[in-house]
Amino acid sequence: MSNVYDFPGGIYPPERKQRSNQSALIQAPLPGRVILTLQQHSGQPATPCVAPGDEVKVGSVIAKREGMICSDLHASISGTVSEVGTTQITIDGDGQDNWERLPSLDWQRAEPSALLERLNESGIVGLGGAGFPTHIKARVVERHAIHTLVINAAECEPYITADDLTLRHHANEVLEGAQIVAKLCGAQHIMIGIEDNKPDAIKALKHALSNYQPINIELKVIPTRYPSGGERQLIKRLLNLDVPSGGLPADVGVLCHNPGTLLAILHAVRDGQPLVSRVVTLTGEAITQPGNRWVRLGTSVRELLEQAGLNTPELHQVIQGGPMMGSPLLTLDTPVTKLTNCLIAATLNELPPPPAESPCIRCGECESVCPVALLPQQLHWYARAQDDAKLERYHLFDCIECGACSYVCPSHIPLVVDYREAKSRIRLQRIEAVKAEHAKHRFEFRQARLAREEAEKQARKQARQAQQRRSSTSAAASSEKVDLRGLRIAHAAAKASVKKAEKTLARVAQEDPKQSLDDLEMQLATAQENLKAAELQLAQAREQQSSEESP
Ligand code: SF4
Ligand code: SF4
């Protein structure tokens, strides 16, 4: 534990991990039917590309990526598409489990572009948090120099043991997945951050590290304290670096991935297997067979919990995620998604409703546990008063919603609920403010599309003329002088605009996954239309010049 640094605050809630970490990681039974929601990640939902009646195999693409911050969706069982709705696709299984895989890639030899494309077509998103598409995160190197890849194995929330079990069973493969990402982002150093309450996973990692690793990998065991697994907190702990307010880990040269994502990356590259299943912790006192299961995406939560021995009369609520940051499910007839890391089937005794709120006594407890060094008490007052200027000044949007302040508050004030509501309200206001701007951007997009269509028309016309000239014995030279230099400059400017729009979109989506990205996607689409038009004009000009120069 030497050489680890500290972050402010933090708490020690009961861990309750032993309920699900005692048994081996196993496969959940193959579901007879799956419901795959189109919005499985941050950003835009995917667009269906199948129709009812279509036959699919495991791994067939059923919805395509739409926009930049989005991800393809694949069938998680083989069978027949029975329904394509506006928000989900249903597949009735044939019980055969027939697969459609992509060709295997040798990551040590493959070009980075081929690896990036593989991540893109495999539908991988971050499996530890907000579900940011991995192929976009991997392109961080276009904008930042990355020196360290952090494997975030802290898994600090109570109850959740998915990463723990993943590492116990697949430590070698997680490290290999990390090396693929390190190769892509240029990191020379990989650091594993894990809390000391996972001795078996630590043992498995030490054993795996004794094998030859092409890149320097360092294991750091940190004392258990919530929320050590927050990206900023872990980077501080391991590297003593402070991610700036409103910034990203990449701003200090670091990239973070959780073990499940790295394993999914290896499966996609080595085995050609898209993301169709994930490890889910099933726990809580209302089930008799807790543990961790490989679960096909789209499996019904009810079915899964019943297989784990659900005691329905004892069940009080099911929480998706951990008890600190997760949310209660309104119905069990909901499917597992790429973001479902844990399902807690809790009894009333286990997770009772909080006592009634009483007035703040200004004890300062909340401030002492905040890992971001915010002033939760002030934020609470300003949130209730809807004083947005003060909320901004007191850095509301730096709050990671860890719930440590609510946990210690003797007045049982639901502080995080206040912050979430305030953030949603402010986001809505921002959306209203950008609507006018959005209309302008829609107009610009239309103009750009028309310009691109005109450029395509001209290209076709020029191709016809060139054909005629070639077949004519007396070719007439064009009277118009080609401004090749001007077109090259316009092309470079259009390319730079696309890069800038992509950068802005990726940054906003990563900083704030709940933000609406419609307007930024529109600006990117406009820049892409302009680039296509500029490419066509440049190609036409080159063609024209070469035909004039040829005898
Ligand atoms: S929820 Fe926000 S304000 Fe409360 S402790 Fe966590 S980071 Fe601080
Ligand atoms: S912990 Fe609760 S009671 Fe104490 S200062 Fe913070 S909000 Fe007020």
Side-chain angles (χ1 to χ4, degrees):
M1 272 180 225
S2 60
N3 205 19
V4 292
Y5 305 92
D6 208 0
F7 65 86
I11 53 172
Y12 302 89
E15 292 174 21
R16 296 182 180 170
K17 288 181 185 269
Q18 60 287 355
R19 193 162 168 71
S20 61
N21 68 8
Q22 303 297 310
S23 49
L25 175 59
I26 56 169
Q27 296 277 347
L30 194 66
R33 162 183 280 207
V34 289
I35 297 176
L36 292 145
T37 51
L38 298 171
Q39 178 83 65
Q40 299 248 351
H41 41 69
S42 55
Q44 305 270 87
T47 304
C49 57
V50 287
D54 285 357
E55 302 287 321
V56 290
K57 291 182 178 176
V58 185
S60 303
V61 181
I62 56 169
K64 297 289 290 175
R65 176 183 153 198
E66 177 83 13
M68 185 173 138
I69 310 297
C70 189
S71 196
D72 284 357
L73 183 61
H74 303 77
S76 56
I77 55 173
S78 58
T80 309
V81 175
S82 55
E83 197 183 333
V84 178
T86 49
T87 58
Q88 61 194 35
I89 295 172
T90 306
I91 301 172
D92 287 326
D94 56 12
Q96 300 298 309
D97 205 27
N98 289 323
W99 280 74
E100 178 179 323
R101 288 191 168 89
L102 295 159
S104 173
L105 279 178
D106 176 352
W107 67 266
Q108 309 225 37
R109 295 208 179 86
E111 289 294 320
S113 58
L115 293 172
L116 276 176
E117 180 50 24
R118 177 54 57 90
L119 299 187
N120 180 20
E121 62 194 348
S122 301
I124 301 177
V125 305
L127 299 180
F132 192 77
T134 303
H135 67 278
I136 302 293
K137 197 165 172 178
R139 283 171 54 191
V140 68
V141 68
E142 292 169 9
R143 306 181 289 275
H144 297 275
I146 301 297
H147 53 76
T148 305
L149 168 67
V150 167
I151 302 179
N152 185 347
E155 196 163 54
C156 59
E157 264 223 58
Y159 284 93
I160 310 176
T161 55
D163 288 346
D164 182 359
L165 268 289
T166 299
L167 286 169
R168 286 195 219 171
H169 287 256
H170 301 283
N172 277 309
E173 289 161 296
V174 169
L175 295 187
E176 195 173 346
Q179 286 170 70
I180 297 173
V181 176
K183 174 179 170 171
L184 271 173
C185 70
Q188 294 302 311
H189 190 201
I190 297 174
M191 201 175 268
I192 311 163
I194 185 164
E195 286 192 338
D196 57 9
N197 60 358
K198 302 173 188 65
D200 291 342
I202 292 166
K203 208 161 112 191
L205 281 167
K206 281 185 179 160
H207 185 259
L209 284 169
S210 63
N211 300 331
Y212 167 70
Q213 308 289 343
I215 297 178
N216 165 30
I217 306 182
E218 189 180 349
L219 174 66
K220 277 204 178 185
V221 180
I222 57 175
T224 297
R225 174 159 51 123
Y226 179 81
S228 292
E231 282 192 346
R232 283 155 200 256
Q233 288 68 42
L234 192 61
I235 290 169
K236 180 69 183 170
R237 281 231 118 161
L238 302 180
L239 295 153
N240 201 24
L241 293 172
D242 291 299
V243 178
S245 170
L248 296 171
D251 293 330
V252 292
V254 181
L255 201 62
C256 292
H257 276 290
N258 92 316
T261 314
L262 296 170
L263 182 57
I265 288 170
L266 179 70
H267 284 157
V269 173
R270 186 191 63 187
D271 310 327
Q273 180 179 312
L275 185 63
V276 295
S277 61
R278 66 156 298 147
V279 176
V280 181
T281 302
L282 302 178
T283 186
E285 290 175 9
I287 54 170
T288 55
Q289 296 143 46
N292 283 270
R293 316 266 197 277
W294 277 106
V295 178
R296 296 292 171 95
L297 303 177
T299 303
S300 146
V301 166
R302 182 186 299 283
E303 202 177 304
L304 207 51
L305 292 177
E306 282 174 356
Q307 286 157 5
L310 180 65
N311 182 348
T312 308
E314 282 293 305
L315 181 67
H316 167 54
Q317 62 174 343
V318 174
I319 294 178
Q320 183 163 266
M324 305 297 295
M325 297 184 75
S327 46
L329 287 180
L330 299 176
T331 167
L332 301 193
D333 296 316
T334 191
V336 166
T337 71
K338 294 177 183 180
L339 304 184
T340 311
N341 58 349
C342 179
L343 294 165
I344 308 172
T347 61
L348 189 57
N349 276 343
E350 189 180 5
L351 290 179
E357 176 187 336
S358 51
C360 171
I361 56 170
R362 300 173 189 244
C363 63
E365 282 293 309
C366 50
E367 189 183 329
S368 68
V369 298
C370 179
V372 193
L374 299 175
L375 297 172
Q377 177 193 1
Q378 271 85 343
L379 283 172
H380 153 68
W381 288 330
Y382 298 137
R384 296 242 169 137
Q386 304 199 353
D387 188 339
D388 295 346
K390 292 261 174 54
L391 286 170
E392 296 267 358
R393 199 178 313 152
Y394 282 81
H395 304 289
L396 171 69
F397 281 90
D398 279 354
C399 166
I400 58 170
E401 300 179 19
C402 68
C405 51
S406 306
Y407 183 80
V408 297
C409 177
S411 296
H412 309 293
I413 301 170
L415 296 160
V416 188
V417 176
D418 289 350
Y419 309 148
R420 283 186 186 145
E421 281 173 7
K423 282 182 182 177
S424 300
R425 185 173 44 75
I426 293 170
R427 280 191 196 107
L428 272 177
Q429 281 168 3
R430 286 178 184 168
I431 289 169
E432 286 302 315
V434 298
K435 264 189 183 160
E437 193 72 355
H438 192 44
K440 181 177 146 231
H441 290 143
R442 268 205 306 272
F443 174 74
E444 285 171 357
F445 173 70
R446 187 171 174 276
Q447 296 298 100
R449 183 169 53 77
L450 292 175
R452 192 251 309 149
E453 285 169 1
E454 177 60 25
E456 283 173 353
K457 205 167 108 193
Q458 289 301 328
R460 285 194 294 273
K461 187 174 159 199
Q462 191 180 325
R464 275 198 307 277
Q465 286 173 342
Q467 180 66 34
Q468 283 162 2
R469 275 203 299 276
R470 276 195 288 275
S471 56
S472 156
T473 47
S474 58
S478 167
S479 58
E480 285 179 38
K481 190 76 190 145
V482 177
D483 179 14
L484 209 50
R485 185 168 173 273
L487 288 171
R488 271 200 207 107
I489 292 170
H491 178 252
K495 216 169 170 178
S497 294
V498 170
K499 287 258 173 252
K500 191 174 163 204
E502 282 180 351
K503 185 176 167 184
T504 309
L505 182 55
R507 171 169 288 276
V508 171
Q510 252 180 294
E511 271 173 11
D512 188 358
K514 292 173 189 155
Q515 177 114 332
S516 166
L517 301 173
D518 289 359
D519 198 43
L520 291 172
E521 290 276 9
M522 176 70 73
Q523 288 177 50
L524 173 60
T526 305
Q528 286 167 336
E529 289 287 344
N530 285 331
L531 177 59
K532 277 184 219 159
E535 274 167 357
L536 282 163
Q537 283 162 354
L538 186 59
Q540 279 168 44
R542 282 183 176 140
E543 167 78 15
Q544 187 179 335
Q545 193 183 50
S546 69
S547 70
E548 283 173 9
E549 284 167 4
S550 59

